[in-house]
Amino acid sequence: MKKYIVLTGCLMIMCITLKAQTDTIARRIILIGDAGQLTDGRHPVVDAVRNNIPLDKKTTVLFLGDNLYKHGLPDLENSGYNASKAVLDSQLSIVRNTKAKVIMIPGNHDWQ
């Protein structure tokens, strides 16, 4: 009988402990600035966020500008268009297949 009382007590303590670890975050906002350049075709900050921060429905990723160096997104016919678009695509991919949202604010380097 004592064994069952001790077991019940342990289970109650575990339930209280597990309840205390419930996620209490209402909103998570991730701020990323100066993300306008890739390194070996990847963006290290975007990769770090993707690998270390939950990208759930509570999360919004906010790019703070200077999303493209040095002169922004050129015209579609420009030879540099695909390279510039790849930078933006890598930034937007941070929320792909997640419930997180992304907002991009243009900076002074984002206009050509």
Side-chain angles (χ1 to χ4, degrees), residues 14-25:
M14 284 176 50
C15 289
I16 292 169
T17 303
L18 292 175
K19 178 87 171 148
Q21 295 178 6
T22 301
D23 188 4
T24 59
I25 294 175

Side-chain angles (χ1 to χ4, degrees), residues 32 35 43-51 63 90-94:
I32 301 175
H43 196 284
V45 174
V46 169
D47 290 344
V49 168
R50 186 182 298 115
N51 295 329
F63 284 92
S90 75
Q91 295 167 7
L92 293 171
S93 75
I94 195 169

Side-chain angles (χ1 to χ4, degrees), residues 67-69 71-74 80-89 112:
N67 303 313
L68 286 173
Y69 288 127
H71 304 290
L73 186 65
Y81 175 81
N82 287 333
S84 295
K85 183 180 179 302
V87 174
L88 291 176
D89 288 343
Q112 181 168 358

Side-chain angles (χ1 to χ4, degrees), residues 6-110:
V6 171
L7 181 60
T8 303
C10 288
L11 288 173
M12 289 176 62
I13 290 171
M14 284 176 50
C15 289
I16 292 169
T17 303
L18 292 175
K19 178 87 171 148
Q21 295 178 6
T22 301
D23 188 4
T24 59
I25 294 175
R27 293 294 297 154
R28 180 182 300 109
I29 301 173
I30 301 165
L31 307 174
I32 301 175
D34 291 318
Q37 190 168 343
L38 298 178
T39 303
D40 296 325
R42 303 189 60 84
H43 196 284
V45 174
V46 169
D47 290 344
V49 168
R50 186 182 298 115
N51 295 329
N52 295 298
I53 298 176
L55 295 170
D56 54 18
K57 66 181 181 179
K58 298 177 183 181
T59 305
T60 300
V61 179
L62 177 59
F63 284 92
L64 299 171
D66 294 346
N67 303 313
L68 286 173
Y69 288 127
K70 283 194 169 192
H71 304 290
L73 186 65
D75 290 333
L76 186 62
E77 295 81 24
N78 187 296
S79 63
Y81 175 81
N82 287 333
S84 295
K85 183 180 179 302
V87 174
L88 291 176
D89 288 343
S90 75
Q91 295 167 7
L92 293 171
S93 75
I94 195 169
V95 297
R96 187 176 298 134
N97 299 321
T98 73
K99 294 187 177 188
K101 296 177 187 132
V102 66
I103 298 171
M104 300 184 87
I105 298 172
N108 63 315
H109 290 283
D110 296 321

